[in-house]
Amino acid sequence: MRLYRIALWTTVPIALPLLAAPAGVTAARAVRDTTPEGPLSVWRPEAAARPADAASPFPALGAASVALPRVAPRPAIVPRAQWRADETKRDTHAHYAGGVRAVFIHHTDTPNGYDCADVPRTLRNLYTGQTRDRSWGDLGYNFLVDKCGTIYEGRAGGADRPVVGSHTLGFNQGTTGIAAIGTFGPGTPVPAAMEHAIAALAAWKLGMGGVDPAGKVRLTSTNGKSRYAKGTSAEFDAVSGHRDGFATNCPGEALFARLPAIRTLAASLQGRLSPRTPSGTRLAVSPGSARRGGG
């Protein structure tokens, strides 16, 4: 009688991750408060070596769904060096939040009759006023947009990073401030190129965190001088006006009235909506001239 040896193979189930969690922003050491907010974080080169979520790179099965980025193209942004920001005037540390959850729209309350080639000079003047006269440590706005649709980097720290600005008292952390260069009181036309650029910028910044520009977010006030007591949580449009968080007329009646159209366009740029827009909504087809005059 022949004996046959039978090999028994045991199948071991292997759990394969379906999706890697988005890389987090490393928590950094707290530093002295240099903006009208609560305690901030300052980015250190050594802190960026290991992501905060490295110990748990994959979401647990059955866990709450992770917000996925809705990628929108990064618009062209004129860097600080090109508009000749004097870097000796600002705080040498850039402060960061964990991500961008909302955008606040502002206007600079400066004259509208400017030539777009002269905008760098306007930025330098604003920069001097906000560092020297207001002691904000830098430009308060993260970005500025001119009437030709050109986007400028405002506050230092990296356009693609969640830099904490000084633009909306009580709600600077986890938000981005975009300032339209000009004054937009009642009846003032808002240039289509400016609207398109603001929408494109909002779509890109919010998209990195999976935030719908046409949706709602909850933010917590860090300063009792805002519209909400410190520690109070409130609901905001993901693209809000300065007046939504602080008692001010900013960004002006005319620009504030255009925010619904800007939200709609930003959402469509993320691929959330069809190109069709509500009746009466005026949207630009292109960001218009992108002149980068030296001022």
Side-chain angles (χ1 to χ4, degrees):
M1 177 183 295
R2 292 186 178 182
L3 298 177
Y4 294 91
R5 180 174 298 171
I6 302 175
L8 298 178
W9 297 90
T10 303
T11 301
V12 179
I14 301 176
L16 295 177
L18 299 179
L19 179 68
V25 177
T26 302
R29 297 192 294 270
V31 298
R32 180 175 57 86
D33 183 11
T34 56
T35 65
E37 285 293 318
L40 302 176
S41 295
V42 59
W43 178 78
R44 308 283 187 184
E46 68 272 15
R50 180 178 180 273
D53 60 353
S56 179
F58 306 117
L61 295 178
S65 60
V66 177
L68 302 179
R70 296 293 294 246
V71 179
R74 183 188 194 273
I77 300 171
V78 178
R80 289 170 61 92
Q82 196 160 337
W83 59 265
R84 301 206 303 273
D86 182 353
E87 302 297 354
T88 66
K89 293 181 178 180
R90 68 174 178 86
D91 182 353
T92 56
H93 297 301
H95 304 289
Y96 297 89
V100 173
R101 300 179 56 212
V103 168
F104 282 100
I105 307 300
H106 306 257
H107 68 172
T108 57
D109 201 20
T110 52
N112 294 336
Y114 58 87
D115 188 303
C116 290
D118 293 331
V119 166
R121 182 181 298 112
T122 299
L123 298 184
R124 292 193 294 271
N125 290 337
L126 288 169
Y127 180 40
T128 297
Q130 294 183 6
T131 53
R132 183 191 65 194
D133 303 333
R134 298 192 177 186
S135 300
W136 286 356
D138 198 348
L139 266 174
Y141 314 117
N142 298 94
F143 302 94
L144 300 97
V145 179
D146 71 17
K147 63 185 180 183
C148 294
T150 305
I151 301 171
Y152 293 86
E153 179 185 14
R155 200 169 186 88
D160 60 340
R161 298 179 66 97
V163 179
V164 177
S166 296
H167 52 85
T168 305
L169 186 67
F171 298 100
N172 286 321
Q173 297 187 48
T175 68
T176 283
I178 303 174
I181 300 174
T183 302
F184 296 95
T188 304
V190 181
M194 175 180 277
E195 282 190 25
H196 191 287
I198 292 172
L201 183 55
W204 172 61
K205 291 297 290 185
L206 293 174
M208 288 189 283
V211 179
D212 181 354
K216 303 283 187 179
V217 297
R218 293 200 71 82
L219 303 175
T220 300
S221 174
T222 61
N223 194 303
K225 293 182 180 180
S226 73
R227 284 192 178 275
Y228 300 89
K230 183 177 180 179
T232 300
S233 176
E235 186 176 74
F236 290 84
D237 289 304
V239 178
S240 288
H242 186 188
R243 65 176 62 182
D244 292 316
F246 185 74
T248 176
N249 289 326
C250 184
E253 293 294 335
L255 182 53
F256 189 77
R258 297 303 303 162
L259 294 188
I262 290 171
R263 294 181 194 113
T264 298
L265 177 55
S268 71
L269 291 172
Q270 284 188 0
R272 295 179 183 273
L273 300 174
S274 68
R276 296 184 63 185
T277 58
S279 176
T281 300
R282 171 170 56 83
L283 300 177
V285 175
S286 67
S289 170
R291 286 184 290 172
R292 295 170 171 78

